[in-house]
Amino acid sequence: MYQPEIETLAIDKMRQLQSERLAEQVAYLYKRVPFYKNKLDEAGVGPADIRSIHDIHKLPFTKKGDLRDNYPFGLFAVPQNEISRIHGSSGTTGKPTVVGYTKGDIDIFSEVIARSLVAAGCRPGMIMQNAYGYGLFTGGLGLHYGAERLGMAVVPVSGGMTERQIMLMQDFGSDALCCTPSYAMTIAEELRRRDIDPQSLKLKFAILGAEPWTESVRADVERGLGVTATNIYGLSEVMGPGVSQEDHEEKGTGSYIWEDHFYPEIVDRVTGEPLPYGENGVLVFTTLTKKAMPVLRYWTNDITSLYYDKAGKRTHVKMGQILGRSDDMLIIRGVNLFHTQVEAVLEGFTDLSNNYQLLVKNEGTMDEVEVMVELDIELSKLLELVALDNEIVKNHDRLGAMHRSIQKKINDNIGLTMKVHFLMPGAIPRSEGGKLNRIVDTRKK
Ligand code: ADP
Ligand code: K
C-alpha cells in the first residue's frame, strides 16, 4: 500500500475524520463561494448545522448544470493567483465543464493516483506508458503526476498512434499501460494483427478507466496484452481519475473509493433519497479536502452501488461497476434500457468483438434500437470476409445462425425487439481519445 495507515483506517476513525473535514469544507464554501451560500440559504441550512458526516443529507445537490451556469470560474473558492491548473471535461460540443486546482489540490490528486497505482500492482522504478490523452482532459496529466509521485518513470506518449505505442512498449520495456479500455483493446487487436506475442512484451499491468467496461473486456485485454488489468474511476468535477481504484489482487470485487478525500453516497435517481449499501442508484460525491473548487453532493449521473468488503485489504468503501449513466438511460417504448444490458447479451457470443454501438431512431411514431456490432477479427480472417451486409449475413450458415440467436436473446432478456447488424472489425468510428460511443440517439426530441 502507498499509505497503509490511512488506507486501513478503522471505520469509526474514518467517520470522525470525514465529519471534521465536511464541517470545515462547508464553512469554507459558505464563506467563499456565493453560489453555495445562496444554495444553502435557500435550503435553510447553515454551516452550524453540519457537525457530522451524517448531516450530509441536509445539503442540497450540485449538478453539472450548476457548473455550466457558473462558467468558467464562478465556483472557484480561491483568488485566481492561487490556481495552479485548469482542466475541462471533454464535452465534444459546446463549452467544457471547467475545474480548477491549487498546488495543494494537485498534491492530493497525485497522492490518490499514487495510491491507485500501487493498488493496480505498480511499484516505484517501473516504467509507465501513459496513453491517456494529455490536454484539458484530466486523465493524461493526472496519471502523469501520480505516477511520478510514486517514483515511476513516465512515458508521456498520450493516446493514438498505435504502431508507435507498440514500438515504445517493445523498445522501452514499459511495465504498465494506462488508457481507456477501448484503446487497450485497439492495441491488443493491433498486436494480434501483427502476430506479436504479448508474452514477448515486458508489460505487466494495465490501468483502465474513463468509460464503462466489463469482465469480458478485461479478459480480452489481459489475454491480448499479457497483463493484469484493473479499473480506475473518477471525474473531473470531483478531481479526475483516481477517485477510486480496483486492487489487482481483488479483481472483480469493486474499486476502493479514497473516502478520506471523497465522500460517496448512493441516492435514488428520481427522488434523491439516500439508498442503503448494496443498492443501485446515482453516485454522489462530496469533496472533503479540496481548496480551489470543492463540490458538495455532486450528482455524477453514474449508476452503481457501494459496499464494504470485509475480505478486502483496505477499509475504504468499494463501488461496483458503473452500470450506466442515469442520463444515458434510454426509454424505448416504455422500457428502461441501459446499453450494458445489450452488452451482456453480446458477451455470450465469442464470434463477436466487444465493439458495439446502439443506434436509436424514430421510425414514424415508434422508437427503434439497432445494434451495430463488429465481428471478431479472427473470425473475419477465417471466413475471409471483405465486406458485410444483411444479405451476406442472412445467407451465411454460421453468421445467419448467430444473428438469429442474438435477436432472440435480446428479445427474451430485455423485452425489446432490435435489429442487429454485423460489421467488419474496425467499422464503428472511434472518437479521438479512442472512445467508442455506445449510444447514438437520432430521435427528434
Ligand atoms: P470526460 O467527460 O472528459 O471523459 P470526465 O472526467 O468528466 O471526463 O468523465 C467522467 C465520467 O467518465 C464519469 O462520470 C463516468 O461516467 C465515466 N468514467 C470514468 N471512469 C470510469 C470507469 N472506470 N468506469 C466507468 N465509467 C467511468
Ligand atoms: K470520461
PDB file of all heavy atoms in Angstrom, residues 32 49 66-68 135 150 156 163 165 196 222 239 261 269 300 305 329-330 338 422 426 433 440:
ATOM      1  N   ARG A  32     -16.825  31.502   1.030  1.00  0.00           N
ATOM      2  CA  ARG A  32     -16.043  31.914  -0.141  1.00  0.00           C
ATOM      3  C   ARG A  32     -16.761  31.881  -1.484  1.00  0.00           C
ATOM      4  O   ARG A  32     -16.320  32.529  -2.424  1.00  0.00           O
ATOM      5  CB  ARG A  32     -14.792  31.030  -0.248  1.00  0.00           C
ATOM      6  CG  ARG A  32     -13.766  31.348   0.811  1.00  0.00           C
ATOM      7  CD  ARG A  32     -12.666  30.325   0.766  1.00  0.00           C
ATOM      8  NE  ARG A  32     -11.573  30.693   1.642  1.00  0.00           N
ATOM      9  CZ  ARG A  32     -10.356  31.024   1.210  1.00  0.00           C
ATOM     10  NH1 ARG A  32     -10.085  31.048  -0.075  1.00  0.00           N
ATOM     11  NH2 ARG A  32      -9.415  31.324   2.068  1.00  0.00           N
ATOM     12  N   ASP A  49     -25.159  23.734  11.081  1.00  0.00           N
ATOM     13  CA  ASP A  49     -25.986  22.507  11.079  1.00  0.00           C
ATOM     14  C   ASP A  49     -25.192  21.270  10.680  1.00  0.00           C
ATOM     15  O   ASP A  49     -25.688  20.155  10.773  1.00  0.00           O
ATOM     16  CB  ASP A  49     -27.150  22.657  10.088  1.00  0.00           C
ATOM     17  CG  ASP A  49     -28.061  23.805  10.481  1.00  0.00           C
ATOM     18  OD1 ASP A  49     -28.413  23.862  11.684  1.00  0.00           O
ATOM     19  OD2 ASP A  49     -28.387  24.637   9.619  1.00  0.00           O
ATOM     20  N   ASP A  66     -25.074  23.384 -12.777  1.00  0.00           N
ATOM     21  CA  ASP A  66     -24.560  24.441 -11.895  1.00  0.00           C
ATOM     22  C   ASP A  66     -23.164  24.870 -12.326  1.00  0.00           C
ATOM     23  O   ASP A  66     -22.795  26.038 -12.235  1.00  0.00           O
ATOM     24  CB  ASP A  66     -24.525  23.962 -10.440  1.00  0.00           C
ATOM     25  CG  ASP A  66     -25.920  23.674  -9.899  1.00  0.00           C
ATOM     26  OD1 ASP A  66     -26.847  24.423 -10.265  1.00  0.00           O
ATOM     27  OD2 ASP A  66     -26.080  22.709  -9.133  1.00  0.00           O
ATOM     28  N   LEU A  67     -22.372  23.898 -12.795  1.00  0.00           N
ATOM     29  CA  LEU A  67     -21.030  24.227 -13.284  1.00  0.00           C
ATOM     30  C   LEU A  67     -21.135  25.050 -14.563  1.00  0.00           C
ATOM     31  O   LEU A  67     -20.426  26.032 -14.749  1.00  0.00           O
ATOM     32  CB  LEU A  67     -20.193  22.965 -13.529  1.00  0.00           C
ATOM     33  CG  LEU A  67     -19.386  22.480 -12.319  1.00  0.00           C
ATOM     34  CD1 LEU A  67     -20.291  21.943 -11.232  1.00  0.00           C
ATOM     35  CD2 LEU A  67     -18.382  21.410 -12.734  1.00  0.00           C
ATOM     36  N   ARG A  68     -22.049  24.620 -15.425  1.00  0.00           N
ATOM     37  CA  ARG A  68     -22.231  25.345 -16.684  1.00  0.00           C
ATOM     38  C   ARG A  68     -22.701  26.776 -16.428  1.00  0.00           C
ATOM     39  O   ARG A  68     -22.203  27.719 -17.029  1.00  0.00           O
ATOM     40  CB  ARG A  68     -23.253  24.613 -17.567  1.00  0.00           C
ATOM     41  CG  ARG A  68     -22.583  23.770 -18.611  1.00  0.00           C
ATOM     42  CD  ARG A  68     -23.589  23.237 -19.615  1.00  0.00           C
ATOM     43  NE  ARG A  68     -23.517  21.775 -19.617  1.00  0.00           N
ATOM     44  CZ  ARG A  68     -24.481  20.975 -19.268  1.00  0.00           C
ATOM     45  NH1 ARG A  68     -25.664  21.442 -18.891  1.00  0.00           N
ATOM     46  NH2 ARG A  68     -24.309  19.683 -19.303  1.00  0.00           N
ATOM     47  N   GLY A 135      -3.997  16.964 -22.135  1.00  0.00           N
ATOM     48  CA  GLY A 135      -4.732  18.132 -22.596  1.00  0.00           C
ATOM     49  C   GLY A 135      -5.677  18.593 -21.504  1.00  0.00           C
ATOM     50  O   GLY A 135      -5.402  18.409 -20.320  1.00  0.00           O
ATOM     51  N   LEU A 150       4.721   8.468  -7.347  1.00  0.00           N
ATOM     52  CA  LEU A 150       5.031   7.120  -6.856  1.00  0.00           C
ATOM     53  C   LEU A 150       6.498   6.767  -7.102  1.00  0.00           C
ATOM     54  O   LEU A 150       7.053   5.914  -6.420  1.00  0.00           O
ATOM     55  CB  LEU A 150       4.113   6.092  -7.544  1.00  0.00           C
ATOM     56  CG  LEU A 150       4.356   4.623  -7.221  1.00  0.00           C
ATOM     57  CD1 LEU A 150       4.205   4.373  -5.708  1.00  0.00           C
ATOM     58  CD2 LEU A 150       3.383   3.734  -7.992  1.00  0.00           C
ATOM     59  N   PRO A 156       5.235   9.908 -21.526  1.00  0.00           N
ATOM     60  CA  PRO A 156       4.003  10.673 -21.777  1.00  0.00           C
ATOM     61  C   PRO A 156       3.569  10.622 -23.239  1.00  0.00           C
ATOM     62  O   PRO A 156       3.484  11.637 -23.913  1.00  0.00           O
ATOM     63  CB  PRO A 156       4.408  12.090 -21.367  1.00  0.00           C
ATOM     64  CG  PRO A 156       5.876  12.152 -21.633  1.00  0.00           C
ATOM     65  CD  PRO A 156       6.430  10.769 -21.464  1.00  0.00           C
ATOM     66  N   GLU A 163       0.803   2.032 -33.637  1.00  0.00           N
ATOM     67  CA  GLU A 163       2.069   1.381 -34.001  1.00  0.00           C
ATOM     68  C   GLU A 163       3.212   1.882 -33.136  1.00  0.00           C
ATOM     69  O   GLU A 163       4.068   1.126 -32.708  1.00  0.00           O
ATOM     70  CB  GLU A 163       2.395   1.651 -35.471  1.00  0.00           C
ATOM     71  CG  GLU A 163       1.355   1.053 -36.376  1.00  0.00           C
ATOM     72  CD  GLU A 163       1.936   0.587 -37.697  1.00  0.00           C
ATOM     73  OE1 GLU A 163       3.140   0.825 -37.952  1.00  0.00           O
ATOM     74  OE2 GLU A 163       1.176  -0.010 -38.470  1.00  0.00           O
ATOM     75  N   GLN A 165       2.875   3.181 -30.152  1.00  0.00           N
ATOM     76  CA  GLN A 165       2.680   2.661 -28.779  1.00  0.00           C
ATOM     77  C   GLN A 165       3.361   1.303 -28.649  1.00  0.00           C
ATOM     78  O   GLN A 165       4.050   1.018 -27.660  1.00  0.00           O
ATOM     79  CB  GLN A 165       1.185   2.478 -28.472  1.00  0.00           C
ATOM     80  CG  GLN A 165       0.341   3.728 -28.581  1.00  0.00           C
ATOM     81  CD  GLN A 165       0.337   4.581 -27.326  1.00  0.00           C
ATOM     82  OE1 GLN A 165       0.932   4.232 -26.317  1.00  0.00           O
ATOM     83  NE2 GLN A 165      -0.333   5.720 -27.408  1.00  0.00           N
ATOM     84  N   ILE A 196       2.248 -10.340 -33.007  1.00  0.00           N
ATOM     85  CA  ILE A 196       3.224 -10.122 -31.940  1.00  0.00           C
ATOM     86  C   ILE A 196       2.717 -10.835 -30.682  1.00  0.00           C
ATOM     87  O   ILE A 196       1.584 -10.602 -30.256  1.00  0.00           O
ATOM     88  CB  ILE A 196       3.407  -8.618 -31.652  1.00  0.00           C
ATOM     89  CG1 ILE A 196       3.918  -7.912 -32.903  1.00  0.00           C
ATOM     90  CG2 ILE A 196       4.355  -8.403 -30.466  1.00  0.00           C
ATOM     91  CD1 ILE A 196       3.964  -6.408 -32.795  1.00  0.00           C
ATOM     92  N   GLU A 222      -6.506  -8.657 -20.945  1.00  0.00           N
ATOM     93  CA  GLU A 222      -5.480  -9.405 -20.202  1.00  0.00           C
ATOM     94  C   GLU A 222      -4.810 -10.433 -21.103  1.00  0.00           C
ATOM     95  O   GLU A 222      -3.593 -10.607 -21.070  1.00  0.00           O
ATOM     96  CB  GLU A 222      -6.101 -10.064 -18.963  1.00  0.00           C
ATOM     97  CG  GLU A 222      -6.531  -9.021 -17.936  1.00  0.00           C
ATOM     98  CD  GLU A 222      -6.781  -9.580 -16.544  1.00  0.00           C
ATOM     99  OE1 GLU A 222      -7.195 -10.768 -16.445  1.00  0.00           O
ATOM    100  OE2 GLU A 222      -6.559  -8.843 -15.563  1.00  0.00           O
ATOM    101  N   MET A 239     -12.276  15.439  -9.074  1.00  0.00           N
ATOM    102  CA  MET A 239     -10.817  15.524  -9.079  1.00  0.00           C
ATOM    103  C   MET A 239     -10.275  15.129 -10.448  1.00  0.00           C
ATOM    104  O   MET A 239      -9.523  15.852 -11.084  1.00  0.00           O
ATOM    105  CB  MET A 239     -10.237  14.599  -7.992  1.00  0.00           C
ATOM    106  CG  MET A 239      -8.724  14.679  -7.840  1.00  0.00           C
ATOM    107  SD  MET A 239      -8.170  16.298  -7.279  1.00  0.00           S
ATOM    108  CE  MET A 239      -7.902  16.032  -5.543  1.00  0.00           C
ATOM    109  N   HIS A 261     -10.826  11.536   1.183  1.00  0.00           N
ATOM    110  CA  HIS A 261     -10.883  12.747   0.369  1.00  0.00           C
ATOM    111  C   HIS A 261     -12.228  12.948  -0.340  1.00  0.00           C
ATOM    112  O   HIS A 261     -12.622  14.067  -0.611  1.00  0.00           O
ATOM    113  CB  HIS A 261      -9.780  12.735  -0.697  1.00  0.00           C
ATOM    114  CG  HIS A 261      -8.385  12.805  -0.135  1.00  0.00           C
ATOM    115  ND1 HIS A 261      -7.934  13.896   0.573  1.00  0.00           N
ATOM    116  CD2 HIS A 261      -7.362  11.917  -0.163  1.00  0.00           C
ATOM    117  CE1 HIS A 261      -6.680  13.686   0.942  1.00  0.00           C
ATOM    118  NE2 HIS A 261      -6.308  12.487   0.516  1.00  0.00           N
ATOM    119  N   ARG A 269     -32.408   7.721  -8.151  1.00  0.00           N
ATOM    120  CA  ARG A 269     -32.221   8.609  -9.299  1.00  0.00           C
ATOM    121  C   ARG A 269     -33.397   9.545  -9.526  1.00  0.00           C
ATOM    122  O   ARG A 269     -33.266  10.565 -10.189  1.00  0.00           O
ATOM    123  CB  ARG A 269     -31.908   7.834 -10.585  1.00  0.00           C
ATOM    124  CG  ARG A 269     -32.858   6.724 -10.931  1.00  0.00           C
ATOM    125  CD  ARG A 269     -32.404   6.047 -12.213  1.00  0.00           C
ATOM    126  NE  ARG A 269     -32.602   6.947 -13.331  1.00  0.00           N
ATOM    127  CZ  ARG A 269     -33.735   7.034 -14.020  1.00  0.00           C
ATOM    128  NH1 ARG A 269     -34.763   6.277 -13.710  1.00  0.00           N
ATOM    129  NH2 ARG A 269     -33.834   7.862 -15.023  1.00  0.00           N
ATOM    130  N   THR A 300     -23.184  12.644  -9.913  1.00  0.00           N
ATOM    131  CA  THR A 300     -22.341  12.210 -11.032  1.00  0.00           C
ATOM    132  C   THR A 300     -23.144  11.709 -12.221  1.00  0.00           C
ATOM    133  O   THR A 300     -22.606  11.632 -13.324  1.00  0.00           O
ATOM    134  CB  THR A 300     -21.412  11.048 -10.633  1.00  0.00           C
ATOM    135  OG1 THR A 300     -22.225   9.905 -10.327  1.00  0.00           O
ATOM    136  CG2 THR A 300     -20.535  11.395  -9.450  1.00  0.00           C
ATOM    137  N   SER A 305     -23.373   0.853  -7.078  1.00  0.00           N
ATOM    138  CA  SER A 305     -23.696   0.629  -5.668  1.00  0.00           C
ATOM    139  C   SER A 305     -22.418   0.700  -4.848  1.00  0.00           C
ATOM    140  O   SER A 305     -21.318   0.628  -5.395  1.00  0.00           O
ATOM    141  CB  SER A 305     -24.358  -0.744  -5.498  1.00  0.00           C
ATOM    142  OG  SER A 305     -23.453  -1.754  -5.910  1.00  0.00           O
ATOM    143  N   MET A 329     -29.759   6.557 -19.687  1.00  0.00           N
ATOM    144  CA  MET A 329     -30.778   5.518 -19.655  1.00  0.00           C
ATOM    145  C   MET A 329     -31.781   5.811 -20.742  1.00  0.00           C
ATOM    146  O   MET A 329     -32.364   6.883 -20.800  1.00  0.00           O
ATOM    147  CB  MET A 329     -31.469   5.470 -18.297  1.00  0.00           C
ATOM    148  CG  MET A 329     -32.224   4.187 -18.110  1.00  0.00           C
ATOM    149  SD  MET A 329     -33.243   4.201 -16.643  1.00  0.00           S
ATOM    150  CE  MET A 329     -34.491   5.362 -17.156  1.00  0.00           C
ATOM    151  N   LEU A 330     -31.944   4.851 -21.625  1.00  0.00           N
ATOM    152  CA  LEU A 330     -32.868   5.049 -22.728  1.00  0.00           C
ATOM    153  C   LEU A 330     -34.239   4.555 -22.292  1.00  0.00           C
ATOM    154  O   LEU A 330     -34.347   3.591 -21.537  1.00  0.00           O
ATOM    155  CB  LEU A 330     -32.405   4.236 -23.930  1.00  0.00           C
ATOM    156  CG  LEU A 330     -31.063   4.646 -24.530  1.00  0.00           C
ATOM    157  CD1 LEU A 330     -30.559   3.567 -25.481  1.00  0.00           C
ATOM    158  CD2 LEU A 330     -31.212   5.971 -25.267  1.00  0.00           C
ATOM    159  N   PHE A 338     -30.439   0.190 -20.431  1.00  0.00           N
ATOM    160  CA  PHE A 338     -29.029   0.597 -20.378  1.00  0.00           C
ATOM    161  C   PHE A 338     -28.295  -0.192 -21.458  1.00  0.00           C
ATOM    162  O   PHE A 338     -28.571  -1.383 -21.651  1.00  0.00           O
ATOM    163  CB  PHE A 338     -28.409   0.270 -19.016  1.00  0.00           C
ATOM    164  CG  PHE A 338     -28.853   1.186 -17.927  1.00  0.00           C
ATOM    165  CD1 PHE A 338     -29.637   0.717 -16.892  1.00  0.00           C
ATOM    166  CD2 PHE A 338     -28.486   2.520 -17.931  1.00  0.00           C
ATOM    167  CE1 PHE A 338     -30.044   1.563 -15.872  1.00  0.00           C
ATOM    168  CE2 PHE A 338     -28.891   3.373 -16.918  1.00  0.00           C
ATOM    169  CZ  PHE A 338     -29.678   2.887 -15.886  1.00  0.00           C
ATOM    170  N   PHE A 422     -24.232  -6.932 -38.279  1.00  0.00           N
ATOM    171  CA  PHE A 422     -22.825  -7.285 -38.090  1.00  0.00           C
ATOM    172  C   PHE A 422     -21.963  -6.383 -38.973  1.00  0.00           C
ATOM    173  O   PHE A 422     -22.308  -6.122 -40.127  1.00  0.00           O
ATOM    174  CB  PHE A 422     -22.572  -8.749 -38.504  1.00  0.00           C
ATOM    175  CG  PHE A 422     -23.220  -9.737 -37.580  1.00  0.00           C
ATOM    176  CD1 PHE A 422     -23.424 -11.044 -38.001  1.00  0.00           C
ATOM    177  CD2 PHE A 422     -23.604  -9.389 -36.289  1.00  0.00           C
ATOM    178  CE1 PHE A 422     -24.013 -11.978 -37.162  1.00  0.00           C
ATOM    179  CE2 PHE A 422     -24.196 -10.311 -35.443  1.00  0.00           C
ATOM    180  CZ  PHE A 422     -24.404 -11.616 -35.882  1.00  0.00           C
ATOM    181  N   GLY A 426     -13.377  -2.882 -36.811  1.00  0.00           N
ATOM    182  CA  GLY A 426     -12.906  -1.511 -37.013  1.00  0.00           C
ATOM    183  C   GLY A 426     -13.900  -0.588 -37.693  1.00  0.00           C
ATOM    184  O   GLY A 426     -13.606   0.582 -37.895  1.00  0.00           O
ATOM    185  N   GLY A 433     -10.079  10.287 -28.523  1.00  0.00           N
ATOM    186  CA  GLY A 433      -9.467   9.640 -27.371  1.00  0.00           C
ATOM    187  C   GLY A 433      -9.548   8.126 -27.450  1.00  0.00           C
ATOM    188  O   GLY A 433      -9.181   7.437 -26.508  1.00  0.00           O
ATOM    189  N   VAL A 440     -25.894   6.162 -30.043  1.00  0.00           N
ATOM    190  CA  VAL A 440     -26.111   7.298 -30.940  1.00  0.00           C
ATOM    191  C   VAL A 440     -27.615   7.463 -31.054  1.00  0.00           C
ATOM    192  O   VAL A 440     -28.310   6.609 -31.602  1.00  0.00           O
ATOM    193  CB  VAL A 440     -25.472   7.041 -32.319  1.00  0.00           C
ATOM    194  CG1 VAL A 440     -25.787   8.190 -33.263  1.00  0.00           C
ATOM    195  CG2 VAL A 440     -23.963   6.871 -32.181  1.00  0.00           C
TER     196      VAL A 440
END
